[in-house]
């Protein structure tokens, strides 16, 4: 029974790391990538819709993104959504497509992105610690009926080792992204 609790906790911690990686991929590091538009929501016929469901997004070169909407009437909505987002990009509309030029990152913008990266990392660490707390509570519930106090302590130590491992993994992911952002 405690094994299934630890296995479940490990799977949830892995998902927290995957969510962190997904969030970090939306931060631009000076190169054009369609993933930076993943969080952009467009108000389309009264409903918020992810941009990638309304248009084809391509990267013709390392500094340009081209957004080609399937419905030309949504061009203005797409432009408005990009302007409202925290990307700091200004769209150029030529009537058929929206073009985003990705400027080189300034030192100030790089430090802002590093702060944002750290915020995402801290949120992931909190998620991992919450998973640890849930697993420990489940183990303590088992202590009252199925397992001894010593076994409970041993399983809680295993959960702590798992937590330490995933916190270190979060730190590695953050260090990698910070290095990528600070690269000139």
């Amino acid at each position: 029974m405690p094994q299934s609790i630890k296995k479940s906790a490990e799977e949830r911690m892995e998902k927290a790391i995957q969510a962190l990686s997904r969030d970090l991929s939306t931060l631009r590091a000076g190169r054009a990538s369609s993933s930076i538009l993943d969080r952009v929501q467009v108000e389309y016929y009264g409903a918020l819709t992810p941009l990638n469901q309304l248009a084809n997004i391509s990267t013709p070169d390392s500094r340009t993104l081209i957004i080609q909407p399937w419905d030309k009437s949504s061009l203005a909505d797409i432009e408005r959504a990009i302007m409202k987002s925290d990307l700091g990009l200004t769209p150029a509309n030529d009537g058929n497509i929206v073009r985003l030029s990705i400027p080189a990152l300034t030192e100030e913008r790089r430090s802002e992105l590093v702060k944002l990266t750290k915020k995402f990392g801290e949120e992931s660490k909190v998620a991992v610690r919450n998973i640890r707390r849930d697993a420990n509570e489940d183990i303590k519930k088992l202590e009252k009926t199925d397992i001894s106090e010593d076994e409970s302590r041993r399983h809680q130590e295993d959960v702590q080792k798992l937590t330490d491992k995933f916190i270190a993994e979060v730190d590695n992911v953050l260090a990698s992204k910070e290095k990528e952002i600070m690269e000139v």
Side-chain angles (χ1 to χ4, degrees), residues 28-33 36 58-66 89 99-105 110 183-184:
R28 66 185 180 97
R31 292 183 296 279
S33 169
I36 66 172
S58 60
T59 54
D61 60 51
S62 66
R63 296 264 183 222
T64 308
L65 282 172
I66 293 182
L89 299 175
R99 195 177 311 278
L100 290 175
S101 294
I102 312 284
L105 292 175
R110 288 179 196 277
E183 223 173 66
V184 179

Side-chain angles (χ1 to χ4, degrees), residues 4-144:
S4 64
I5 293 171
K6 290 190 283 189
K7 179 113 175 98
S8 171
E10 183 174 14
E11 289 170 358
R12 290 174 57 202
M13 288 178 187
E14 285 174 5
K15 288 180 183 176
I17 298 294
Q18 291 170 358
L20 173 64
S21 297
R22 196 172 41 254
D23 285 344
L24 291 180
S25 72
T26 64
L27 296 177
R28 66 185 180 97
R31 292 183 296 279
S33 169
S34 62
S35 65
I36 66 172
L37 298 172
D38 284 352
R39 292 185 297 168
V40 175
Q41 299 277 319
V42 179
E43 188 169 331
Y44 186 65
Y45 291 109
L48 286 178
T49 309
L51 177 58
N52 59 9
Q53 292 181 9
L54 296 175
N56 184 29
I57 303 169
S58 60
T59 54
D61 60 51
S62 66
R63 296 264 183 222
T64 308
L65 282 172
I66 293 182
I67 304 165
Q68 188 170 18
W70 293 305
D71 179 8
K72 301 283 186 234
S73 66
S74 66
L75 270 172
D77 296 330
I78 290 173
E79 271 189 299
R80 204 170 305 116
I82 292 170
M83 293 294 283
K84 284 182 185 177
S85 72
D86 61 350
L87 296 174
L89 299 175
T90 306
N93 174 356
D94 73 357
N96 293 321
I97 61 173
V98 175
R99 195 177 311 278
L100 290 175
S101 294
I102 312 284
L105 292 175
T106 63
E107 190 63 34
E108 180 181 325
R109 182 66 178 150
R110 288 179 196 277
S111 62
E112 287 175 21
L113 288 174
V114 167
K115 286 179 188 175
L116 193 57
T117 300
K118 289 181 180 180
K119 177 182 158 237
F120 284 140
E122 200 53 47
E123 289 171 359
S124 292
K125 287 179 182 180
V126 168
V128 168
R129 291 180 188 126
N130 286 339
I131 294 166
R132 173 191 62 194
R133 183 198 61 221
D134 294 343
N136 284 340
E137 286 174 359
D138 291 343
I139 291 171
K140 286 178 185 176
K141 286 177 187 173
L142 286 178
E143 182 182 329
K144 294 176 182 173

